[in-house]
Amino acid sequence: KGAVLGPFKGRVIAIGATAAYSFRLGKTPATLRLRLFEEFNVKNRLEGHSALLSLTFPISMKTPPSADN
């Protein structure tokens, strides 16, 4: 018989901030976003700081004929 671990339940509370900057890469709109979190009141998880940096842009985009000029 193998080990019985039971349910793995964890929880965390976090507070933080986010900042975003929207710009164009040529004709493509893009957004750069930074998120910072401080985690506390942690149970059954790692505790600490989190930082996430993301760049988002559409893979394809249909523009109206008047926008091509």
Side-chain angles (χ1 to χ4, degrees), residues 3-43:
V4 178
L5 299 176
F8 181 75
K9 294 181 180 181
R11 70 171 184 227
V12 65
I13 297 174
I15 190 165
T18 184
Y21 177 67
S22 296
F23 57 98
R24 291 195 171 270
L25 296 170
K27 292 185 178 181
T28 305
T31 301
L32 186 64
R33 184 177 310 272
L34 174 66
R35 297 177 187 153
L36 303 169
F37 299 102
E38 172 67 29
E39 299 173 343
F40 56 94
N41 196 19
V42 177
K43 181 178 179 184

Side-chain angles (χ1 to χ4, degrees), residues 48-59:
H49 311 283
S50 296
L52 300 108
L53 181 65
S54 63
L55 174 65
T56 56
F57 54 90
I59 295 174

